[in-house]
Amino acid sequence: MSGKRSLIRSGTTVDQMVRAIGDRIVTGFLRPGEKLDEASLAARFDVSRTPVREALGRLSAMGLVERRPNRGATVAVVTQEHLASMFESMAELEAICARFSAERMTAGERRALESEHQASARLVQLGAEEDYEYFNTEFHTRLYRGAHSKHIYELTVMTRSRLAPFRRAQFMLPGRLAKSWQEHDVIVTAIMRGDGAAAGQAAKDHVSIVSEASAVFAAVDPMKPADSIGMSS
């Protein structure tokens, strides 16, 4: 990327800022301990400082940013141990959702899940990472809703939001799109035949593999040169 406009368009929303900054932290463009200056961020994203503060607050809740009184915000150190702990929780929640989906999804929900999954194969063939990443989010959301449990849905979505940058980063790895689709296929097949145990295990295995793929982005080497948020990249 180069310059402010290449990072994100004018009129940025808080969600877009969280995504853009989070992705740059996870992929190492912003290094652990690097200061995140509100004024510089506001200028870069062409917004006031109020949405910047909200974005940094959300990134802090996700564990990607540290905020200390009178010291501002800095990029947090995300260790592999912490990331593994979060993914462990995510795997169990996804397993519950997939198991309940196999048992509780309506016929219409099952058809929609299978149809969207089969259509996504085209994205894999095209190597359309961004489009597949959007589909991937929708796929998992269908499982959460298919569980037909409001509390589990809310808990799972909250946990996923904290892992979102790492889950997106997995698709930068060679061959990950095809492997993700194959893992989804096992989950869908189990749900279509109403096999809750198999669906739950497939979902748990899937998230465990995502965890391993994403771990490469944790605890990056702080000795490598940093790319400042105010600089071109």
Side-chain angles (χ1 to χ4, degrees):
M1 302 180 198
S2 62
K4 176 167 68 178
R5 302 301 178 190
S6 66
L7 179 61
I8 204 144
R9 292 189 299 272
S10 176
T12 308
T13 67
V14 172
D15 285 343
Q16 288 173 318
M17 275 190 286
V18 169
R19 178 183 176 116
I21 298 171
D23 285 350
R24 289 169 72 82
I25 291 172
V26 167
T27 55
F29 284 102
L30 295 171
R31 317 301 291 184
E34 186 169 346
K35 184 174 176 58
L36 299 170
D37 181 68
E38 287 184 6
S40 297
L41 287 166
R44 180 150 196 172
F45 290 112
D46 196 18
V47 295
S48 69
R49 293 176 70 161
T50 299
V52 170
R53 291 191 192 102
E54 184 178 343
L56 292 176
R58 285 168 57 176
L59 288 163
S60 177
M62 293 163 69
L64 295 177
V65 167
E66 289 185 6
R67 303 180 83 185
R68 297 179 183 176
N70 305 316
R71 294 186 61 181
T74 57
V75 176
V77 175
V78 181
T79 65
Q80 290 190 2
E81 290 77 16
H82 179 63
L83 189 61
S85 176
M86 289 195 292
F87 268 111
E88 182 178 50
S89 300
M90 189 78 248
E92 295 296 337
L93 288 167
E94 294 257 6
I96 292 171
C97 288
R99 176 164 59 86
F100 282 176
S101 287
E103 298 167 354
R104 301 176 179 180
M105 266 187 168
T106 65
E109 287 173 327
R110 292 172 198 268
R111 286 194 298 270
L113 178 71
E114 184 178 39
S115 176
E116 290 297 314
H117 167 62
Q118 294 300 333
S120 71
R122 178 63 176 163
L123 302 178
V124 176
Q125 293 170 357
L126 295 172
E129 290 180 13
E130 214 171 293
D131 290 337
Y132 186 85
E133 187 253 302
Y134 175 79
F135 156 77
N136 183 63
T137 299
E138 291 299 305
F139 175 85
H140 285 275
T141 298
R142 284 183 185 277
L143 298 184
Y144 307 160
R145 288 180 178 147
H148 292 278
S149 170
K150 183 179 178 182
H151 178 68
I152 290 174
Y153 172 83
E154 292 174 348
L155 186 60
T156 307
V157 169
M158 180 186 70
T159 306
R160 182 180 69 179
S161 70
R162 296 190 173 191
L163 284 166
F166 289 97
R167 295 187 74 149
R168 283 195 297 273
Q170 64 169 309
F171 298 122
M172 298 178 187
L173 301 176
R176 183 60 201 145
L177 288 187
K179 290 177 182 177
S180 173
W181 191 92
Q182 291 163 4
E183 292 155 20
H184 285 179
D185 195 56
V186 178
I187 297 170
V188 172
T189 298
I191 288 175
M192 293 304 291
R193 66 170 184 255
D195 189 338
Q201 187 60 53
K204 185 174 181 178
D205 291 345
H206 171 56
V207 177
S208 296
I209 293 169
V210 172
S211 173
E212 292 172 7
S214 303
V216 68
F217 297 102
V220 291
D221 184 356
M223 297 305 293
K224 293 182 180 178
D227 174 32
S228 170
I229 189 70
M231 295 172 60
S232 300
S233 60

